[in-house]
Amino acid sequence: MASDESPRCDRMWHGARLLPLTADGARAIDDGIVAARDGRIVYAGPAAEAPPLDAAERIACDGRWITPGLIDCHTHLVHAGNRAGEFEARLEGASYEEIARNGGGIRSTMTATRAASEADLVAQSLPRLDALLAEGVTTVEIKSGYGLTLDDEAKMLRAARALGETRRVRVRTTFLGAHALPPEFEGDADDYVAHVCETMLPAIAQAGLADAVDVFCEGIGFTPAQTDRIFAAAAGHGLPVKLHAEQLSNQHGAALAARHGALSADHLEHLDAEGVAAMARAGTVATLLPGAFYFMRETKLPPIEALRAARVPIALATDCNPGTSPLTSLLLAMNMGATLFRLTVEECLAAVTRNAARALGLHEVTGSLETGKACDLAIWNVDTPADLVYRIGFNPLHTRVVAGA
């Protein structure tokens, strides 16, 4: 019987192999235990070093691997409609920019999303979310950006929050009102940015619908000056920022984001040395999106070696969206990160756990197997963690655990 000094826990997983993925580079543990109380880890480590644990429920893992629950830190998961026709047009030679300028792209999804009710958006988005959860995702970021009016952006964010209530998953919402210029403001980008800053953002913040603010800073999106204005407005409402940066061209957006202390700068194919150095100084995460790189048949790689040399944390995400990355597999995103970007297995696994948590400002909450963090686990039927990166179209998930349950 456990002594009065024994740590009490609701649940204990034993007979497991652990991959803690902590920042200090803790190695794999062959015979490990994870114990949780009130949704948080009270012990994660070797069985031989564990204190006496008074567990209400003991779960034998039979040698399975336990990693932190996976985190998809960049998605546009909530949307209506389908853009398979644009995919076909690109196969026939049209560029993304040409499609966007002819009323397709983001505007096409905007039209469908505006026409959808909140319930419609939840219903259409649930299969995409369920695909992620089936592969061990326990935290997901969901952006707005297809409504482009206050009511429609708020509708998207409410739908995202509703997904987190419908399924057992931690959802972080990001306001991306500056995703594209809506038709109501054609030719008046500065006026739309003013509307975002002075009307949309204050209302979204007051309603508590967003955990962060994002901007599409690009030649076909918004300028660095406009981005700077939106970031300043976000700071005024106490909201952290993220940025779509350097995807199609070098707008020096990553350096701008870093100056604002951005959680992450995402895409980064055209990132330069100045941007890398700025991100390193600010601790801004480089979120790479190999699904979009693959789907758009890009050839310019993100500067992986420069990011490594500067010790910029690297995250990977699906970028799940209808136009440029209709991807709902974070396991495949890891394989793409390894195959296309030459990331190592360890880098890929850290990219969808520890570093992805940092990209959402959740690194003190989840992303690694450490005492005090949320007990978010993925338990796998694999021989080695490398299988999670190596295999294509293979889902070895045994159990997904969110906050200990």
Side-chain angles (χ1 to χ4, degrees):
M1 181 177 294
S3 70
D4 290 341
E5 289 74 32
S6 300
R8 295 184 179 276
C9 53
D10 307 316
R11 205 165 274 113
M12 181 178 76
W13 293 264
H14 62 92
R17 290 178 285 179
L18 309 183
L19 193 66
L21 290 164
T22 57
D24 61 7
R27 307 312 298 171
I29 297 167
D30 285 332
D31 182 16
I33 288 174
V34 178
R37 182 178 64 243
D38 298 330
R40 296 197 171 274
I41 295 172
V42 296
Y43 179 77
E49 299 175 15
L53 291 163
D54 183 8
E57 181 182 1
R58 294 172 178 261
I59 301 167
C61 292
D62 301 323
R64 295 183 176 90
W65 281 93
I66 298 180
T67 69
L70 306 189
I71 299 170
D72 196 349
C73 64
H74 181 130
T75 85
H76 304 257
L77 190 143
V78 169
H79 62 265
N82 182 291
R83 280 157 60 185
E86 293 179 16
F87 173 64
E88 186 175 12
R90 282 206 303 276
L91 292 178
E92 294 171 355
S95 71
Y96 180 74
E97 291 90 340
E98 288 169 344
I99 291 169
R101 290 195 171 101
N102 289 326
I106 293 168
R107 281 197 181 182
S108 172
T109 302
M110 176 203 73
T111 301
T113 300
R114 285 183 176 183
S117 68
E118 183 178 326
D120 291 336
L121 290 176
V122 171
Q124 291 188 45
S125 302
L126 268 174
R128 295 186 282 269
L129 177 63
D130 285 341
L132 292 174
L133 304 191
E135 290 190 349
V137 169
T138 55
T139 299
V140 60
E141 184 254 20
I142 302 176
K143 303 179 191 294
S144 66
Y146 294 125
L148 307 181
T149 69
L150 174 56
D151 288 346
D152 290 304
E153 289 291 292
K155 177 179 67 178
M156 290 187 69
L157 294 168
R158 286 195 304 270
R161 291 280 169 90
L163 290 173
E165 296 167 359
T166 304
R167 295 290 187 266
R168 191 170 183 85
V169 61
R170 182 179 292 101
V171 171
R172 301 291 279 186
T173 55
T174 299
F175 172 57
L176 181 56
H179 196 194
L181 191 63
E184 298 86 352
F185 286 85
E186 187 69 51
D188 294 313
D190 285 336
D191 285 349
Y192 180 64
V193 168
H195 180 63
V196 168
C197 294
E198 298 166 11
T199 301
M200 297 172 74
L201 212 167
I204 295 292
Q206 184 175 13
L209 289 174
D211 299 305
V213 173
D214 197 349
V215 177
F216 182 38
C217 181
E218 189 52 75
I220 60 171
F222 295 88
T223 68
Q226 292 163 343
T227 301
D228 187 68
R229 184 174 178 185
I230 294 169
F231 280 0
H237 292 282
L239 289 171
V241 298
K242 306 164 68 67
L243 188 65
H244 286 65
E246 274 73 271
Q247 180 185 11
L248 305 174
S249 62
N250 184 11
Q251 301 286 318
H252 305 287
L256 169 64
R259 290 196 295 274
H260 283 270
L263 294 172
S264 70
D266 303 16
H267 285 289
L268 303 177
E269 282 87 339
H270 292 263
L271 179 67
D272 61 14
E274 176 191 356
V276 171
M279 291 175 67
R281 289 192 299 270
T284 297
V285 175
T287 298
L288 306 183
L289 305 171
F293 182 92
Y294 163 83
F295 197 76
M296 295 178 69
R297 295 186 288 180
E298 296 288 351
T299 57
K300 185 171 177 57
L301 292 166
I304 302 297
E305 287 301 332
L307 291 168
R308 283 175 176 149
R311 299 184 180 277
V312 175
I314 296 174
L316 288 169
T318 63
D319 192 18
C320 173
N321 76 74
T324 63
S325 187
L327 174 64
T328 53
S329 172
L330 199 53
L331 294 179
L332 181 54
M334 279 199 287
N335 178 271
M336 288 179 169
T339 304
L340 300 174
F341 298 161
R342 301 296 189 264
L343 297 179
T344 67
V345 166
E346 184 175 352
E347 286 173 331
C348 288
L349 290 166
V352 299
T353 54
R354 180 180 74 238
N355 292 342
R358 184 170 291 278
L360 298 179
L362 291 175
H363 52 287
E364 295 183 356
V365 175
T366 189
S368 59
L369 304 182
E370 296 182 79
T371 299
K373 289 194 174 182
C375 186
D376 297 342
L377 313 176
I379 305 176
W380 306 97
N381 290 312
V382 292
D383 294 326
T384 169
D387 279 329
L388 301 176
V389 180
Y390 155 69
R391 300 287 291 269
I392 300 174
F394 171 67
N395 181 6
L397 185 72
H398 174 72
T399 306
R400 190 181 69 99
V401 178
V402 182

